[in-house]
Amino acid sequence: MTIRVIIVDDQAMVRAGFAALLAAQSDIDVVGEAPDGKKGVEVSRSTHPDVVLMDVRMPEMDGLAAARALLDPPPGVVHLPKVLMLTTFDVDDYVYEALRAGASGFLLKDAPPADLISAVRVVASGEALLAPSVTRRLIADFAKQRLAPRKDQSLQLNGLTPRETEVLVLIARGLSNQEIAERLVLAEQTVKTHIGRVLSKLGLRDRAQAVIFAYESGLVTPGEQ
């Protein structure tokens, strides 16, 4: 199955470079591009991509506003693409807010070409793109600065089993499925099943939102290892 991608970035050279790289892959088809968030939303709604590569800082409408528009569309719009944020900074307030809005992760613009290709495939498959080290730093930094546990989210945790709660904690600490399986002495498929149940019970879209939830609910606190 071919992955349909659009590229939203205000730099023409960036769009051209990414498009050439991705189009050279047999399983990826670049179906559109846009120079700002507003046009990016329009292109997305007309081309129905699987993945939107979205720059964070752009004129007209920035990447955060565009991600919100795509992931929380008005009535009648049923297409919900995966949104992968592009940034020049590894810790960026806009990226954090985009994750809260439902973006599937973020990628540094200067990442190696192989990382970009892999990121598109990972996000298209329904996984979140959150490197463990960056996950811990990004979420913990912002949680430390301004987040207090939210009572409504804390109550939702009561619906999880002890094992599901344990899995959520390890997700928030940046462990991969394989690492969680090794830590808990479980099969990796069992870990995936637990994660699916956690997302379903908490009404979350993906792993990225699970990390946010774990911090905002107070289940995990900044600085924990």
Side-chain angles (χ1 to χ4, degrees):
M1 179 177 170
T2 302
I3 302 169
R4 296 168 58 83
V5 178
I6 68 169
I7 302 165
V8 185
D9 193 293
D10 61 341
Q11 298 180 47
M13 290 290 286
V14 171
R15 296 198 307 273
F18 283 3
L21 177 65
L22 294 173
Q25 310 307 308
S26 60
D27 61 336
I28 299 175
D29 186 12
V30 178
V31 297
E33 60 178 66
D36 60 63
K38 183 178 180 180
K39 288 186 175 62
V41 172
E42 295 172 358
V43 172
S44 177
R45 289 182 178 157
S46 65
T47 60
H48 294 181
D50 299 302
V51 178
V52 177
L53 291 178
M54 181 78 72
D55 188 21
V56 172
R57 303 178 185 280
M58 294 180 290
E60 291 294 326
M61 177 188 284
D62 65 24
L64 174 58
R68 284 176 174 155
L70 291 175
L71 298 170
D72 186 20
V77 177
V78 296
H79 178 66
L80 290 176
K82 303 292 184 181
V83 177
L84 178 61
M85 306 302 296
L86 299 170
T87 179
T88 53
F89 306 102
D90 61 354
V91 176
D92 190 306
D93 195 12
Y94 280 93
V95 175
Y96 174 81
E97 294 296 340
L99 292 176
R100 292 189 68 192
S104 294
F106 65 94
L107 184 72
L108 296 178
K109 282 188 176 182
D110 61 357
D115 285 3
L116 172 64
I117 297 167
S118 175
V120 168
R121 290 172 177 154
V122 166
V123 170
S125 72
E127 294 291 327
L129 188 76
L130 291 171
S133 62
V134 178
T135 299
R136 287 192 291 267
R137 186 169 69 252
L138 175 75
I139 306 302
D141 281 353
F142 286 112
K144 186 183 298 181
Q145 290 173 22
R146 65 186 188 199
L147 294 181
R150 290 171 49 178
K151 183 178 292 187
D152 59 332
Q153 292 184 328
S154 297
L155 291 174
Q156 282 182 274
L157 290 172
N158 294 334
L160 301 182
T161 66
R163 178 63 86 190
E164 289 164 355
T165 301
E166 197 171 12
V167 168
L168 178 55
V169 168
L170 296 178
I171 290 173
R173 290 178 180 168
L175 273 67
S176 66
N177 288 357
Q178 182 178 348
E179 290 169 336
I180 293 173
E182 292 173 355
R183 177 76 63 88
L184 301 180
V185 193
L186 297 172
E188 192 168 344
Q189 185 56 49
T190 302
V191 171
K192 291 180 180 179
T193 298
H194 283 311
I195 293 174
R197 288 174 180 164
V198 168
L199 297 181
S200 177
K201 288 182 178 181
L202 299 179
L204 305 173
R205 281 188 54 161
D206 56 26
R207 197 186 196 93
Q209 288 196 325
V211 172
I212 298 292
F213 184 97
Y215 277 94
E216 291 192 335
S217 66
L219 177 64
V220 177
T221 57
E224 285 187 338
Q225 296 298 324

